[in-house]
Amino acid sequence: MSIRIKLLLSYTGMLVISLLTFFVAASLFTIAATGDFNSFRDFYKVHYQLNPLTEQEENIFLELKYLAKNEPDQLQNQELLADYDFKLKTVRAGLYVRRESNQVFTSPTINQPELENSLPPYDLNNNQIRNTFNIGERFYAYAKFDFKFSDGAKGSVFVIRERSPFGEVIRKLLPMLVFLLLGVIVIANVLLYRWITRSVVKPLDLLRNSAENIKEGNLDFELHLQTKDEIGQLNEAFENMRKRLQESVRLRLEDEESRKELISNISHDLRTPITNIKGYIEGIRDGVADTPEKMDKYVNIIYSKAVDLDLLVDELFLYSKLDLKQVPFTFEHVDIVQFLDDCIDELHYDLEKKGITIQWNQRTAEDTLVIADLEKIKRTVLNIIGNSQKYMDKPEKIICVSVQADAQWATIEIKDNGIGIPQEAIPHLFERFYRVEQSRNSSTGGSGLGLSIARQIVEGHGGRIWVESKQGVGTSLFFTLKRTHKQ
């Protein structure tokens, strides 16, 4: 059963119970007041029918009733009637006595010419001796007793008290007011049901539709949060889940795209040297290398391509292990200036053969101790310098090394005077397999993993790495290492 049906049944039940309770209470009140369940339709008259007069007026009425039963002719004595009327006048009531169709006595207190026509007819059985009547907009309550005079003529004695006209208005309008009350109860329940439905069922329907969208694979929608109640909190949690799921799908698609690109790049970088090796081997097998000099040349080229393959596989293996956090770091305290001196001395001879000068630009005067894994930092420096030397275009090719230090970090700069890097390419330099020139020409570039590996190593040390470059002037690559101090 849906929540909407449950709410409808609950509010309908509440309405029915309210109405039944109302009618049962009214019935019990009528039965308690009249002792007659059939009087329920006249329950609003009960008060005036049973208690139309005050206690003092009721006592005078009982005396008059006694005279009517035992000495009816006394009710024609004007002095006696005036005396009783005086007593009634003190409590703002009046006396009226009639004989057949004639007035015997009329109290000046009443002063209503139409009084005789408004009074009830004779009822010698006295089935109803208390009631109300109205003359125009004036409302009266009375107690009466019908009797017979000694000569057999019919007579009546009335004790009459004027009531507020609002009492009669209420008496007449009470059925309408009851139905109005019932209508208010029904409308209130309908409005309450509608409000609860809109505040509960509608958000749940929205949540269900969102779940259907997710089931169908559609995450490009948004839950509009309008309330801060429990339903609103549920929608907010669902919306956060949708956003995270959408982000997860986006990352998965990006990873899938990167995987495809990775496979494509690896395939390209492996195919080129393998194709060269196959070509030269076929040349040897077909007798193209028919002299010792050609044979040596072919063998050297095959060996060179095999070395390139070995380096590529090594870089792929290292990058994958760094990416999966599977490479342990062996940290130690080292003087970074002395370490870079050793690296410069080691690279100086090889770079000099290529016409490249490597030198210090700026170095600290004092020892600069850092926390580093020497083998991996050396790999970083070699990757950066190896990347720099491929794009030298000046007659005088220079690579400069600088170290600056503050209280927490040592910043290493490796600067070249090469062709520079376009600004739009700088944000992508540390992506795997990225090359500024997209042709992936093996003569000008390596695997495209060198700077990616350098970033993984530097970040593994807790530092950061970045590039600054200006086309036609050169490129500076910076990375930082945490400093340590002698105890």
Side-chain angles (χ1 to χ4, degrees), residues 310-320 322 327 329 339-340 343 346-347 373-387 414 447 449-458 461 465 477 479:
D310 185 58
L311 290 175
L312 177 59
V313 171
D314 180 59
E315 287 192 335
L316 283 171
F317 183 67
L318 176 60
Y319 178 83
S320 64
L322 287 170
V327 177
F329 284 79
F339 170 77
L340 291 173
C343 289
E346 182 178 336
L347 294 170
D373 183 322
L374 291 181
E375 180 182 351
K376 294 181 178 59
I377 291 298
K378 183 176 181 179
R379 181 65 175 264
T380 300
V381 173
L382 293 178
N383 284 357
I384 294 172
I385 293 177
N387 197 67
I414 299 176
S447 64
L449 288 172
L451 292 183
S452 299
I453 292 173
R455 184 191 65 178
Q456 294 276 16
I457 292 174
V458 172
H461 282 71
I465 186 169
L477 196 144
F479 66 92

Side-chain angles (χ1 to χ4, degrees), residues 170-183:
I170 295 300
R171 184 176 70 85
K172 290 183 176 181
L173 295 181
L174 189 56
M176 185 183 299
L177 293 175
V178 169
F179 284 111
L180 180 62
L181 175 63
L182 297 179

Side-chain angles (χ1 to χ4, degrees), residues 24 44 91-92 107 131 136 157 167 228 254 263 266 278 296 305 357 361 372 375 382 386 422 435 444 458 469:
V24 169
Y44 56 90
V91 290
R92 298 180 181 178
S107 172
N131 209 332
V157 58
K228 295 298 182 181
E254 288 182 357
I263 293 174
I266 291 175
K278 287 174 61 179
D296 289 342
K305 298 301 179 182
T357 302
N361 183 36
E375 180 182 351
L382 293 178
R435 291 184 185 176
T444 58
V458 172
S469 182

Side-chain angles (χ1 to χ4, degrees), residues 210-409:
S210 301
E212 291 290 337
N213 283 330
I214 292 178
K215 185 178 74 172
E216 297 297 328
N218 176 26
L219 295 172
D220 296 326
F221 65 91
E222 185 176 355
L223 274 173
H224 298 286
L225 309 176
Q226 298 177 346
T227 62
K228 295 298 182 181
D229 56 11
E230 290 80 359
I231 299 295
Q233 293 171 2
L234 177 62
N235 280 347
E236 183 178 3
F238 193 89
E239 174 66 7
N240 291 335
M241 180 190 72
R242 182 197 66 81
K243 290 179 179 178
R244 295 188 64 178
L245 185 59
Q246 186 180 38
E247 180 66 15
S248 176
V249 171
R250 185 186 65 81
L251 292 176
R252 182 176 63 82
L253 292 176
E254 288 182 357
D255 288 343
E256 181 69 17
E257 190 64 29
S258 297
R259 184 183 66 82
K260 292 178 180 179
E261 183 181 356
L262 175 65
I263 293 174
S264 174
N265 292 334
I266 291 175
S267 300
H268 182 278
D269 288 345
L270 289 176
R271 185 182 296 113
T272 300
I274 289 175
T275 301
N276 290 333
I277 291 174
K278 287 174 61 179
Y280 285 107
I281 290 176
E282 288 176 358
I284 294 174
R285 190 177 61 183
D286 294 340
V288 176
D290 52 1
T291 64
E293 292 79 9
K294 285 186 178 181
M295 179 66 69
D296 289 342
K297 179 181 178 181
Y298 278 32
V299 170
N300 289 334
I301 292 175
I302 292 172
Y303 177 78
S304 174
K305 298 301 179 182
V307 170
D308 291 342
L309 278 174
D310 185 58
L311 290 175
L312 177 59
V313 171
D314 180 59
E315 287 192 335
L316 283 171
F317 183 67
L318 176 60
Y319 178 83
S320 64
K321 292 182 68 176
L322 287 170
D323 196 40
L324 296 173
K325 312 297 182 185
Q326 293 181 349
V327 177
F329 284 79
T330 306
F331 294 108
E332 57 183 290
H333 296 182
V334 59
D335 183 352
I336 190 63
V337 175
Q338 183 62 47
F339 170 77
L340 291 173
D341 271 335
D342 295 339
C343 289
I344 290 172
D345 290 342
E346 182 178 336
L347 294 170
H348 183 269
Y349 179 73
D350 290 335
L351 293 176
E352 190 175 60
K353 289 194 297 183
K354 299 177 181 179
I356 301 173
T357 302
I358 183 170
Q359 62 189 25
W360 278 101
N361 183 36
Q362 182 179 354
R363 58 188 292 171
T364 57
E366 58 184 14
D367 293 343
T368 305
L369 294 179
V370 297
I371 302 174
D373 183 322
L374 291 181
E375 180 182 351
K376 294 181 178 59
I377 291 298
K378 183 176 181 179
R379 181 65 175 264
T380 300
V381 173
L382 293 178
N383 284 357
I384 294 172
I385 293 177
N387 197 67
S388 296
Q389 64 180 315
K390 296 171 186 174
Y391 301 99
M392 295 287 202
D393 64 339
K394 306 292 190 304
E396 187 179 2
K397 304 173 182 178
I398 301 175
I399 296 177
C400 297
V401 179
S402 300
V403 174
Q404 296 180 345
D406 57 25
Q408 292 185 329
W409 299 96

